[in-house]
Amino acid sequence: MQNDKKIYGYVRVSTKEQNEDRQIIALKELGVPEENIFIDKISGKDFERPQYKRLLRRLNTESVVYIKSIDRLGRSYKDLCEQWRIITKDKGADIVVVDMPILDTQKEKGLLGTFISDLILALLSYVAESEYSTIHQRQAEGIAAAKARGVKMGRPPRPLPENFHEIYQKWKAGKLSTSEAARQVSMPLSSFRYRAGVYKNATL
């Protein structure tokens, strides 16, 4: 059936540092022409994806889209179902999910095929969203536990300028305004106020 259809592929990685080669190789092995593979290097949290939008504009009833895995379309249950509906219902195109052969709308065009695909999609997207939420919950719990053990999070603060103590004492005695003190230690006003507060607590 795919011989008379225009074949496209969609690839997404979450950051520019991630490598998309694995997805591209899988699509090429299934006969997707390289010039028809659309690649976004962007998070899956929304659909403000330039290449994905370009792909959608190309799709019609004579198109089939290959994706390596269902989470390349999106992360949330709501978004996945919405994009599946746009591609298969609004555009009338077919979708093939390489890692889940049962999600191939070319195989069964009847009501049963639609029902099976929609049911499996709902299940997979729910699991994907649950796993994503669990990962973030574990990250938050790990950060909280590390802070409770006294682990400092984030980058260490820059060392204070050599004249900070002298300027701080003058500022504390009212001999310098806050803006002048900040200027003399080459700090933004907000940074000086913050570091002065930390310095005060450290010397109490």
Side-chain angles (χ1 to χ4, degrees):
M1 179 181 294
Q2 74 178 36
N3 291 335
D4 58 357
K5 283 183 173 276
K6 187 76 170 180
I7 304 173
Y8 297 98
Y10 180 66
V11 168
R12 182 183 64 78
V13 289
S14 297
T15 67
K16 292 181 179 180
E17 288 73 30
Q18 289 182 329
N19 195 307
E20 68 274 14
D21 289 350
R22 182 177 60 88
Q23 296 179 58
I24 294 173
I25 290 170
L27 299 186
K28 284 183 176 180
E29 287 177 348
L30 291 169
V32 182
E34 186 170 2
E35 65 270 20
N36 288 354
I37 297 176
F38 293 78
I39 304 169
D40 276 317
K41 294 191 175 185
I42 195 167
S43 170
K45 65 182 179 181
D46 57 47
F47 284 88
E48 292 304 314
R49 312 177 194 167
Q51 293 303 311
Y52 181 74
K53 289 181 176 180
R54 281 188 62 211
L55 171 63
L56 286 183
R57 289 195 291 268
R58 298 274 191 96
L59 300 182
N60 55 39
T61 56
E62 300 302 316
S63 307
V64 56
V65 180
Y66 284 81
I67 56 174
K68 181 71 167 65
S69 58
I70 194 63
D71 62 350
R72 299 305 86 195
L73 268 187
R75 290 195 300 224
S76 79
Y77 170 79
K78 176 183 175 183
D79 286 344
L80 277 170
C81 290
E82 175 66 10
Q83 297 309 310
W84 188 274
R85 182 193 64 77
I86 290 172
I87 293 172
T88 61
K89 306 296 195 301
D90 295 356
K91 298 291 184 177
D94 282 310
I95 300 180
V96 177
V97 181
V98 178
D99 288 349
M100 186 63 59
I102 198 169
L103 285 178
D104 181 349
T105 61
Q106 297 179 107
K107 291 182 178 179
E108 180 61 64
K109 288 294 187 181
L111 182 62
L112 178 60
T114 300
F115 173 75
I116 291 173
S117 290
D118 289 352
L119 183 63
I120 293 173
L121 174 70
L123 177 61
L124 289 175
S125 54
Y126 171 76
V127 170
E129 185 174 14
S130 297
E131 287 179 347
Y132 181 72
S133 298
T134 300
I135 288 171
H136 277 257
Q137 181 180 347
R138 287 174 179 168
Q139 287 176 339
E141 290 172 351
I143 291 171
K147 286 183 176 179
R149 295 195 305 270
V151 177
K152 302 294 185 182
M153 308 303 292
R155 291 181 297 179
R158 295 176 63 181
L160 292 172
E162 292 183 1
N163 65 337
F164 187 87
H165 176 75
E166 177 189 352
I167 300 303
Y168 170 80
Q169 293 298 336
K170 291 181 178 179
W171 170 76
K172 185 179 178 183
K175 296 178 180 178
L176 290 175
S177 66
T178 306
S179 57
E180 178 60 20
R183 188 190 68 77
Q184 290 196 28
V185 294
S186 302
M187 283 185 178
L189 196 60
S190 57
S191 297
F192 175 78
R193 286 186 177 132
Y194 172 75
R195 298 300 291 270
V198 173
Y199 189 79
K200 176 183 177 181
N201 292 332
T203 54
L204 287 177

